[in-house]
Amino acid sequence: MYKTNEEQEILTIDEFKNDWWEKVEYLLVDIREEEEIESEGGVMGAYNISMYEIPDKIEMAPTWIICLLVCQDGSKSEQLVKYMKNNNYNNMFAIEGGVNSLVEAFPELRS
């Protein structure tokens, strides 16, 4: 079982590696713009939606699965998680360091 609670907003790479990777069902969400993904590289298996689209589409956010949000360096995804939790989406978490840290720890995820 995952080790998070409603107050926790950020997962470290070590927490992701030790407690989540290939152990827990989750949806990885890349909140970067398509242009940024094309220039910086994507994350294999991640669902993409721009963070700027989310306020207009918030009712479409899944509540039945944990969502792990990433941006390039983690800063925007951390802000978005706070916004989502303030709107009662307590199943949202950011991965610390974003895509940069994720693909450094898991090079096989770079697409």
Side-chain angles (χ1 to χ4, degrees):
M1 190 64 174
Y2 60 90
K3 298 177 181 177
T4 58
N5 59 50
E6 289 183 10
E7 290 78 38
Q8 184 175 0
E9 296 174 347
I10 301 167
L11 293 177
T12 66
I13 285 295
D14 285 340
E15 286 174 318
F16 179 73
K17 190 183 291 187
N18 297 330
D19 300 331
W20 290 76
W21 179 248
E22 298 181 336
K23 296 178 181 142
V24 177
E25 189 175 358
Y26 57 86
L27 179 64
L28 188 60
V29 182
D30 189 335
I31 63 165
R32 298 175 295 161
E33 297 287 318
E34 295 232 3
E35 298 80 26
E36 190 175 2
I37 293 171
E38 289 171 11
S39 68
E40 300 293 331
V43 178
M44 194 177 316
Y47 174 79
N48 175 245
I49 183 169
S50 165
M51 71 177 288
Y52 302 108
E53 294 177 38
I54 291 177
D56 292 334
K57 297 181 178 181
I58 193 166
E59 71 282 347
M60 295 174 62
T63 56
W64 52 271
I65 189 169
I66 297 293
C67 295
L68 303 179
L69 281 52
V70 293
C71 62
Q72 195 63 44
D73 65 4
S75 59
K76 292 178 182 174
S77 55
E78 289 175 21
Q79 291 173 356
L80 185 57
V81 165
K82 287 179 183 172
Y83 171 80
M84 297 300 286
K85 287 190 181 265
N86 284 338
N87 284 280
N88 297 316
Y89 288 88
N90 294 316
N91 59 320
M92 306 283 168
F93 302 91
I95 295 181
E96 185 177 54
V99 172
N100 294 338
S101 296
L102 191 60
V103 297
E104 184 179 315
F106 299 93
E108 65 272 24
L109 291 180
R110 184 178 299 280
S111 66

